[in-house]
Every structure is written in C-alpha cells, then in structure tokens.
Amino acid sequence: MSATQTQARGYRKVREGLVVSDKMNKTVVVEVTRRTIHPMYHKYIKRRKRYHAHDEANDCNVGDRVLIEECRPMSARKNWRVKQILERAV
C-alpha cells in the first residue's frame, strides 16, 4: 500500500482505575470511576465500571492505581491491558 492508501489507525482508549481483584492468573479487575452530571438535577453522580485487564507479569496488587489501554480481545471478557502502574498500594 502506498502512503495515500493507508488508513490512519485510531488512538487506543486509555482509562485510569483501581485494582480490585488480582486472584486470576495474568488478569486483574480494574474499577474505573467517573463523575457525570445528572441530566435533570445537575448534580454530580459517580458511575463506575469494571474492566478485566491483562497483566503479563502478575505485577499488580489489590489497591494499585493503574493505567489500562484497549487492545485486541484476549478472552471472552478481556479486551484491556495494563499499560502502567501509577501508584502502588501501601
């Protein structure tokens, strides 16, 4: 393919969250919390979602703050990988 025919690859989604489970082999569960405005009452409310992320070195522990990024599907529920450990649990 020439330079004019190549498609630009989109950026991968990145989320920051807290590790809530590390019981699986090479997998951690990361909970991402975001604040959004209620459509009627205009108050901030918390929304949270859990992602299964690939941790190749089994390096993450419960309580770590991590950065995860989107990747190819690795299993039925695992489409994210741990990109960086931002803060270790005490």
Side-chain angles (χ1 to χ4, degrees):
M1 293 180 118
S2 67
T4 56
Q5 292 177 342
T6 58
Q7 290 181 333
R9 187 163 134 188
Y11 291 105
R12 293 181 177 185
K13 294 176 189 169
V14 177
R15 303 280 185 265
E16 181 181 330
L18 205 66
V19 175
V20 293
S21 174
D22 63 348
K23 295 191 183 294
M24 294 173 275
N25 188 28
K26 296 188 178 184
T27 304
V28 291
V29 179
V30 180
E31 187 173 272
V32 175
T33 304
R34 61 186 175 92
R35 292 175 62 218
T36 183
I37 285 193
H38 192 279
M40 182 176 171
Y41 298 115
H42 303 290
K43 299 274 189 171
Y44 281 99
I45 51 177
K46 287 184 183 176
R47 295 288 184 212
R48 64 183 187 171
K49 187 168 180 183
R50 291 180 169 204
Y51 297 97
H52 288 170
H54 185 68
D55 179 22
E56 182 64 39
N58 279 328
D59 204 19
C60 296
N61 297 316
V62 174
D64 290 352
R65 185 163 296 285
V66 295
L67 201 65
I68 59 174
E69 75 172 346
E70 200 174 32
C71 65
R72 65 179 179 83
M74 297 196 172
S75 69
R77 285 178 279 175
K78 193 162 62 166
N79 300 350
W80 295 80
R81 86 166 48 100
V82 176
K83 185 174 184 179
Q84 180 183 2
I85 299 175
L86 301 174
E87 182 182 336
R88 293 275 185 190
V90 182

